[in-house]
């Protein structure tokens, strides 16, 4: 039996971030990861580091989390491939531009000024390769992008350096409440701690069910495309009001295209499959905004498995019925930027029982039906 102050289930970005923050506070932490660090969505997502266009409930936490990215090397000893290249959300009609202007007014009314609406001339200056029919955009100039796998590994490595133990290849098969602590049963060992953090990603609902929490989760299989290398032609990350699109060019010249088109996923097999019909929609959206993409060749595609909540907002909260059990999951395709600050929030909950960070909108009780653990 191994004893700890906290056990984190899941070696993705959120699990490693929570483990790092707990270890930096002097807590004994064990991370249990069924495969390896960054195996699923944390390691293969689009790597967008954005505040632009977030659900209004996420804006306060996202804004507070952005400074962690601008000082990411100080935190984890690696720049994680982060560049503050900006994010641009393109309007293709006057109606779409009015939608962006309305959004900017709403966000300013909440006290935030990071989103800026720009006209056609400015968007053309920022993105000269953009199709000529685009009439304007919303931009956040110091948003950016990072390498997701490198980022997750950096958080895991730094967590180990700070004292956390990360057990890869250790699947959780049972959880029991015993004498005020949690006994976590793995395939290779047993672990005991007063605090358990559920950062199990797409499998978080199954882990939650072991302590009596039931969440109405779905599984996402968001697809990505990477093209052959092309001469540099776009610096910011590009999205669109009327299209499901995330579009960026890597330093090597490849173009990475996402945006939420869905493939298929099987949680039991831990596998995802690309849906070619939906993949073509992503390629079509890219070609509509960047005519040169009509000649680009796709060299690889994939999909990552993750959890989605009905309101597309995460759960960051204590279990309603299982004492010391903390949930952090359900980021629904946009949790990467929140990774560093969510680790702080989870560590606050684990060590202080509360946090000053704005996570009230992510309460577990809005979904969970708690049963006796």
């Amino acid at each position: 039996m191994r004893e700890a102050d906290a056990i984190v289930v899941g070696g993705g970005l959120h699990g490693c971030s929570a483990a790092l923050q707990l270890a930096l506070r002097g807590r004994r932490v064990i991370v249990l990861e069924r495969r390896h660090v960054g195996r699923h969505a944390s390691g293969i997502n689009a790597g967008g580091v954005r505040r632009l266009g977030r659900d209004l409930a996420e804006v306060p936490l996202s804004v507070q989390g952005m400074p962690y990215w601008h000082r990411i090397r100080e935190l984890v000893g690696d720049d994680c491939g982060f560049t503050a290249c900006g994010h641009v959300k393109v309007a293709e009609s006057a109606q779409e531009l009015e939608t962006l202007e309305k959004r900017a007014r709403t966000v300013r009314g909440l006290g935030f000024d990071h989103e800026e609406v720009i006209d056609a001339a400015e968007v053309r200056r920022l993105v000269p390769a953009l199709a000529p029919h685009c009439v304007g955009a919303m931009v956040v100039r110091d948003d950016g992008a990072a390498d997701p796998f490198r980022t997750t590994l950096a958080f895991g490595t730094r967590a180990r350096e700070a004292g956390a133990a990360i057990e890869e290849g250790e699947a959780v098969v049972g959880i029991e409440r015993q004498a005020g602590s949690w006994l976590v049963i793995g395939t290779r060992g047993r672990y005991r701690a007063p605090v358990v953090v559920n950062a199990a990603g797409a499998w978080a609902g199954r882990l939650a069910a072991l302590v009596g929490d039931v969440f109405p989760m779905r599984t996402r299989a968001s697809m990505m495309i990477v093209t052959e290398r092309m001469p540099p032609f776009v610096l910011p990350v590009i999205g669109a009001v009327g299209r499901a699109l995330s579009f960026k060019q890597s330093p090597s010249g490849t173009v990475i295209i996402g945006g939420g088109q869905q493939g298929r996923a099987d949680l039991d097999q831990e596998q995802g499959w690309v849906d070619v019909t939906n993949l073509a929609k992503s390629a079509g959206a890219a070609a509509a905004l960047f005519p040169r993409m009509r000649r680009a060749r796709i060299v690889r595609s994939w999909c990552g498995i993750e959890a989605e909540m009905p309101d597309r907002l995460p759960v960051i909260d204590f279990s309603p019925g299982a004492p010391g059990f903390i949930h952090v999951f359900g980021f629904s395709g946009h949790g990467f930027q929140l990774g560093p600050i969510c680790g702080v929030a989870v560590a606050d909950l684990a060590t202080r029982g509360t946090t000053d960070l704005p996570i009230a909108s992510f309460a577990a009780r809005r979904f969970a039906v708690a049963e006796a653990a």
Side-chain angles (χ1 to χ4, degrees), residues 155-176:
F155 272 81
T157 299
R158 184 70 187 97
R160 282 188 170 108
E161 292 171 350
I166 299 180
E167 298 295 333
E168 296 176 297
E170 176 66 301
V172 173
V173 295
I175 300 178
E176 299 175 6

Side-chain angles (χ1 to χ4, degrees), residues 107-132:
V107 171
R108 283 197 299 272
L110 296 174
F112 302 100
D113 60 1
H114 56 284
E115 293 182 346
E116 173 190 356
V117 177
I118 58 177
D119 61 17
E122 177 64 1
V123 74
R124 197 84 55 228
R125 188 187 71 80
L126 292 175
V127 193
L130 197 62

Side-chain angles (χ1 to χ4, degrees), residues 76-345:
V76 297
D78 188 307
D79 69 14
C80 301
F82 173 72
T83 57
C85 55
H87 274 238
V88 175
K89 190 169 191 176
V90 174
E92 299 177 73
S93 67
Q95 184 178 13
E96 290 184 355
L97 190 60
E98 172 55 29
T99 297
L100 294 178
E101 290 169 343
K102 181 179 179 182
R103 156 81 185 194
R105 289 194 295 271
T106 300
V107 171
R108 283 197 299 272
L110 296 174
F112 302 100
D113 60 1
H114 56 284
E115 293 182 346
E116 173 190 356
V117 177
I118 58 177
D119 61 17
E122 177 64 1
V123 74
R124 197 84 55 228
R125 188 187 71 80
L126 292 175
V127 193
L130 197 62
H133 71 276
C134 298
V135 299
M138 175 177 282
V139 59
V140 178
R141 298 180 189 267
D142 59 347
D143 276 358
D147 182 325
F149 190 62
R150 178 175 166 183
T151 299
T152 308
L153 287 185
F155 272 81
T157 299
R158 184 70 187 97
R160 282 188 170 108
E161 292 171 350
I166 299 180
E167 298 295 333
E168 296 176 297
E170 176 66 301
V172 173
V173 295
I175 300 178
E176 299 175 6
R177 186 75 174 160
Q178 292 186 352
S181 285
W182 292 103
L183 172 65
V184 179
I185 304 168
T187 51
R188 296 187 287 114
R190 292 183 169 222
Y191 312 85
R192 187 192 305 278
V195 171
V196 173
V197 176
N198 175 11
W203 294 267
R206 294 183 178 184
L207 193 73
L210 293 177
V211 298
D213 288 345
V214 178
F215 291 93
M217 299 168 61
R218 298 187 292 264
T219 302
R220 291 176 59 88
S222 298
M223 297 186 295
M224 304 290 298
I225 294 170
V226 63
T227 72
E228 62 184 343
R229 294 182 180 182
M230 304 174 70
F233 67 94
V234 60
L235 180 60
V237 179
I238 306 298
V241 177
R243 304 178 191 272
L245 179 67
S246 169
F247 183 98
K248 67 178 179 181
Q249 188 170 28
S250 72
S252 69
T254 59
V255 176
I256 302 163
I257 304 168
Q261 293 292 349
Q262 297 295 295
R264 295 184 296 110
D266 188 312
L267 290 181
D268 293 326
Q269 297 187 45
E270 298 182 41
Q271 288 189 350
W273 291 270
V274 168
D275 182 305
V276 176
T277 300
N278 285 340
L279 202 68
K281 297 176 183 175
S282 294
L289 291 187
F290 293 94
R292 70 182 62 195
M293 293 303 297
R294 295 167 189 163
R295 301 187 298 274
R297 289 185 296 184
I298 295 172
V299 298
R300 191 160 66 94
S301 61
W302 67 90
C303 60
I305 306 173
E306 58 184 328
E308 180 177 79
M309 310 307 296
D311 58 4
R312 303 201 68 211
L313 295 176
V315 175
I316 311 170
D317 194 9
F318 285 106
S319 160
F325 206 93
I326 300 170
H327 297 300
V328 55
F329 62 81
F331 290 87
S332 308
H334 46 269
F336 185 65
Q337 188 263 352
L338 297 173
I341 199 166
C342 281
V344 178

Side-chain angles (χ1 to χ4, degrees), residues 346-370:
V346 170
D348 284 348
L349 295 178
T351 59
R352 298 167 44 205
T354 187
T355 182
D356 298 328
L357 293 170
I359 62 169
S361 296
F362 315 129
R365 288 187 182 278
R366 74 189 199 274
F367 295 124
V369 178

Side-chain angles (χ1 to χ4, degrees), residues 58-76:
E58 288 184 335
V59 169
L61 187 64
S62 178
V63 169
Q64 290 195 43
M66 201 63 200
Y68 287 91
W69 285 100
H70 288 276
R71 300 192 304 270
I72 198 73
R73 183 180 287 281
E74 297 175 26
L75 179 62
V76 297

